[in-house]
Amino acid sequence: MSDAPAGSADAGPVVPPRPNAVVAVLAFAGIVVALMQTLVIPIVPELPKLLDAPASDTAWAVTATLLAAAVATPVVGRLGDMFGKRRMLLVSVVMLVAGSVACALSDALVPMIVGRALQGLSSGVIPLGISIMRDELPAERLAGATALMSASLGVGGALGLPTAALIADNFDWHFLFWSSAAMGVVALVLVLAFVPESRVRTGGRFDAVGAVGMAVGLISLLLAVSKGADWGWTSGTTLGLFAAAVIVLLAWGFFELRTTQPLVDLRTTARRQVLFTNLASIAIGFSMFAMSLVLPQLLQLPTQTGYGLGRSLLTAGLVMAPSGLVMMALAPVSAVVSKAKGPKVTLMIGALIVACGYGINIVLMSQVWHLVLVSCVIGAGIGFTYGSMPALIMGAVPASETAAANSLNTLMRSIGTSCASAVAGVVLAHMTIDLGGYALPSENAFKTVMAIGAGAALLAFALASFIPRPRAAVPAAASAPAAAETSAGTPSGR
């Protein structure tokens, strides 16, 4: 068992001397990684021409990131618990920089896919950052800091679209990736300068068999979900991948329950608080992404449809941007509510706000300001939910498993967004109108997706109601630094 992050043992007191800098740097790193996810959206329609490849192949520039992120997030979280969270945070940021440079230098499909996959490997930054905060920050700062870090995923995604659209409209497309690489380098330097290494570690051996099994199962599942519409939902390939996912993940679970040092501690994951938080996270991820699919299309569809607003991609991005700012602004409010009423109540409030946002969208969708209002309301709800989830997870797992548990929770949200993309794609493809010989999604199609998004938020509310009220999440977090002093690997080291 590794008691020996000897380099950090002499670094000073357990609570860092500049907690404000730690929070700011980690939040910035999270935003940089989240920006990467929306970076290619403005150029996706142009990729076949830019890379001289069929559209069915260039779609892998998006799919590769999704698959790499799904595999990397829980693996990097576990490695962070074992060998140092800051160390794995730095590795993740290096992957982002390397992937960005590879994409910036590419003019062909294969290096672009490789670069996008490397960018996907950086997705563990946000759960690692939350885990570092638990280990290093004083208890009174933890709730607000983790809410801000968790919200950075939505903030980066919301701000990324207008930024990327602006760059794509005014510069060569390679500059998108050079700018991503530059921000990654800045994040790397700041982490090296201001973020201490946690001394809460588990040590032990890495579960390579479990990692391979989980990777195969997740890739099979997400490939089937993300490519099912292209291949056909009843095609042999799609059904075969779904069957492989079920078989492999069941076998993986059987193995994980019987190994002494599993990649994912399924017994901890099955605890009521962790289980229902993760299930609610899937529903919230689904609901959040429905907004990202509906609003930009409504804004960009031609006015001849009777409901499209005929705006540019840049305008669509600017309409979405306030939601990210609202998420950031409400992070401290989320923390206050969690401190007063518990993170379970915060999660339930957030889910209801998201559902109300979609309800408003069904009624108001004919003006730009309608969609700005909707994005802000839904962003407020997402800010509440994303701020509460880390607190619920950390209140139910030992400090030595924080990174792995937070990473798994992040993965659950990603699975929800992937499912939302698939479901919304089916609805929008089958409920269409004809405009000048082109099939476009109908107004009722968008309203149906909004109703499904509201339903997913209400499902999250229902699932959250089964979460037991945590007894003392903050004291558990407060004891983590003390645990670090003894390297006990548990949150009760004093």
Side-chain angles (χ1 to χ4, degrees), residues 342-369:
K344 169 185 174 177
V345 173
T346 308
L347 176 56
M348 296 175 74
I349 291 172
L352 287 179
I353 295 174
V354 172
C356 289
Y358 281 112
I360 294 171
N361 201 182
I362 292 173
V363 178
L364 300 177
M365 54 184 288
S366 59
Q367 301 289 333
V368 171
W369 73 266

Side-chain angles (χ1 to χ4, degrees), residues 141-167:
R141 294 292 310 275
L142 183 62
T146 55
L148 178 63
M149 186 70 193
S150 190
S152 69
L153 179 62
V155 173
L159 299 181
L161 185 58
T163 303
L166 184 64
I167 292 173

